[in-house]
Structures are given as structure tokens and as C-alpha cells.
Amino acid sequence: MMEILPDRCTTIAKKELVYAGTVGLICWLSGIVFINRKKTSDAKSVMADAAKTMLDEQLILWVFPEGTRNQNGDLLPFKKGAFHLAVQAQVRTIRLKILPKIETKGMTSEDVSSLSDQSHNLMRTAFLEISGSITQSNGPLKH
């Protein structure tokens, strides 16, 4: 996942993950912001700490508002932490556009160059369309 994130972008993970051996070490080295989810009664202060880290280190945090993985094919209720974080950090929004899938069934290695070109062209068109007048990167507002 770290390969596709923009520069200075990371995620939030539960603090217990830092103690998960090699996985925890990799997460820590990759700059993941750890939060103490056991302090649910104090979600505002937990996210205030995350917002401070985000602003101090000029990070973009990618947050999953459900707070956990979900295998049931539907959305889980959103936790409030992500929204506390957005309000406290006063962050900008990110524009996304989900592109239609590109079918690869029946393609061979001979099709890879044209598939790559087609994908690039579609993504570049969408990128230019949604970035139009945006001249600054996403991230914390500068005052």
C-alpha cells in the first residue's frame, strides 16, 4: 500500500500493532501513526494527538472511518475518530474518481504495452479533470 500513497501520506493503526513483531517494526519504520483505541471514551484527545502529529510532521493521514476490516460486503457504522481528526486538523479534502474496471480477460503478454498505455491515458485524463484548478498539494491548511 505504501507504494501507491502520495508523498508524506500514511495511515493510522491501533497502537497494539507496534508490538506485532516484524509487522509492527515495518509499520513503525514506514511512519504509520499509532493511536490508543482503548481510550474510546476520550476519542477527541486521541485524535487531537494524531492531528498534532499530522500538522507537526506535515503528514497526510489516510483514515478508514469504519475503524476495522469488514468481510460482510457492507459498510460498518463509522467511528467518530476520523471526523474528530478532520475537524481538529482543519484539513483539506481530497478529490477521488473511481474509474471503471479494465477487462484483461483473454489478453496475452502481447497486450501489455497497449494495456499500460490505455490505463495511463485513462488515469491521466481523470487526474487532469479532477485536479483542474488545484495548484497546491492536499494536506493541512497553511495560515
Side-chain angles (χ1 to χ4, degrees), residues 59-74:
L59 297 173
I60 300 167
L61 289 180
W62 188 353
V63 180
F64 301 90
E66 292 175 278
T68 189
R69 290 180 300 273
N70 178 10
Q71 303 297 326
N72 70 4
D74 196 3

Side-chain angles (χ1 to χ4, degrees), residues 57-114:
E57 298 181 24
Q58 293 295 293
L59 297 173
I60 300 167
L61 289 180
W62 188 353
V63 180
F64 301 90
E66 292 175 278
T68 189
R69 290 180 300 273
N70 178 10
Q71 303 297 326
N72 70 4
D74 196 3
L75 283 178
L76 292 173
F78 285 175
K79 298 185 179 287
K80 292 185 177 78
F83 303 96
H84 283 300
L85 175 64
V87 168
Q88 291 170 5
Q90 295 292 295
V91 292
R92 295 180 183 182
T93 58
I94 296 175
R95 297 178 186 181
L96 298 175
K97 181 173 185 175
I98 307 299
L99 299 174
K101 68 179 180 177
I102 298 173
E103 185 60 60
T104 58
K105 193 171 194 167
M107 288 187 174
T108 67
S109 60
E110 299 295 319
D111 300 307
V112 169
S113 290
S114 63

Side-chain angles (χ1 to χ4, degrees), residues 8 11 18 41 51 58 83 105 137 143:
R8 309 289 305 148
T11 60
V18 80
S41 63
Q58 293 295 293
F83 303 96
K105 193 171 194 167
S137 65
H143 295 287

Side-chain angles (χ1 to χ4, degrees), residues 16-43:
E16 297 83 4
L17 191 58
V18 80
Y19 304 109
T22 305
V23 171
L25 180 61
I26 290 169
C27 289
W28 180 74
L29 289 172
S30 67
I32 287 178
V33 175
F34 294 99
I35 61 167
N36 184 354
R37 293 191 332 171
K38 294 190 190 249
K39 289 174 60 178
T40 54
S41 63
D42 200 10

